[in-house]
Amino acid sequence: MIIAVTGTPGVGKTTVSKLLSKRLGYEYVGVKEFAVERDIGEKVGDEIEIDIDELAEKMVEEFKGKNVVIDGHLSHFVPSDLVVVLRVHPRLVAERLKDRGYSRKKLAENVEAELIDVILVEALEENERVIEVDTTGKTPEEVVDEIIGLIERGVKKRVGIVDWSEAYDEVLPYLNLGGE
Ligand code: DAT
């Protein structure tokens, strides 16, 4: 089974994906490493701008019929058996990305994306089976337990479990309203 773990940067994808793959005995694959190794996309400075169609094609080619956890904020573009969308309170996205040294602009973009469900909406457009997990206040182990529980119960879709509209005022200072 191909499980894609997606979400806004800083939400905890890598932490959860590595633990989940270990618990299930699945292979772990990071989208970025995969794309860099296979030269999928264009290099823009230190970053790689991943070609999504090529990524999806190459990943299916390589992992079809295998048990794999794919980690990355583009993983929901890969045809998968299950997409897990991790969510976290936007304040935590801001704090974690600030610690990572993100620019103000990038920080604002990602806080806003979490606030308005950007990745969830994309995931729902791309895949049938989407489950959303709120990681706020949970340890990575608890998040993985919840994912495994949902898989074991055969849950096909579980979305709409968070609403960050109440968080808007709190994260307003991080947003880049009307600015460049
Ligand atoms: P991502 O891969 O989505 O960018 P990450 O796994 O690198 O996120 O995690 C970002 C930071 O948050 C990292 O310092 C670990 C921490 N973290 C991840 N999941 C957590 C959780 N459930 N509880 C507390 N901290 C967590």
Side-chain angles (χ1 to χ4, degrees):
M1 163 150 105
I2 298 179
I3 302 176
V5 176
T6 189
T8 309
V11 82
K13 294 181 294 297
T14 301
T15 311
V16 166
S17 298
K18 288 192 169 160
L19 199 59
L20 180 66
S21 64
K22 212 175 273 173
R23 285 273 301 274
L24 293 172
Y26 282 24
E27 187 182 341
Y28 165 87
V29 185
V31 165
K32 196 169 173 194
E33 293 76 14
F34 183 91
V36 169
E37 274 168 22
R38 285 160 189 78
D39 217 7
I40 300 170
E42 273 185 54
K43 291 214 173 64
V44 183
D46 288 347
E47 296 283 311
I48 178 165
E49 218 160 78
I50 297 172
D51 179 323
I52 291 168
D53 293 337
E54 198 183 343
L55 173 77
E57 193 184 311
K58 292 259 168 71
M59 282 217 158
V60 169
E61 213 174 271
E62 188 142 342
F63 301 123
K64 199 160 195 238
K66 293 195 180 146
N67 287 327
V68 64
V69 175
I70 302 172
D71 160 28
H73 70 280
L74 298 174
S75 66
H76 53 281
F77 289 108
V78 178
S80 312
D81 300 290
L82 173 67
V83 179
V84 178
V85 182
L86 298 182
R87 306 300 304 269
V88 79
H89 191 287
R91 181 188 64 253
L92 289 170
V93 171
E95 286 171 4
R96 288 176 186 171
L97 297 184
K98 210 170 163 191
D99 286 348
R100 237 181 235 180
Y102 271 41
S103 69
R104 232 189 112 67
K105 184 164 176 258
K106 251 179 118 179
L107 193 80
E109 275 169 16
N110 286 300
V111 171
E112 181 182 283
E114 183 58 28
L115 197 61
I116 62 168
D117 311 328
V118 168
I119 302 264
L120 173 68
V121 172
E122 281 179 7
L124 286 167
E125 282 169 1
E126 298 291 329
N127 279 280
E128 279 293 305
R129 195 173 171 197
V130 178
I131 62 173
E132 208 184 0
V133 176
D134 183 10
T135 69
T136 313
K138 295 172 191 162
T139 65
E141 288 76 15
E142 285 170 336
V143 172
V144 168
D145 284 343
E146 191 170 329
I147 297 168
I148 292 175
L150 289 161
I151 295 172
E152 283 174 355
R153 281 189 278 128
V155 174
K156 296 268 179 275
K157 194 167 269 177
R158 188 190 70 166
V159 295
I161 59 160
V162 301
D163 172 6
W164 299 141
S165 55
E166 295 282 322
Y168 184 77
D169 286 346
E170 197 183 333
V171 296
L172 202 53
Y174 295 107
L175 301 177
N176 203 17
L177 301 169
E180 230 320 284

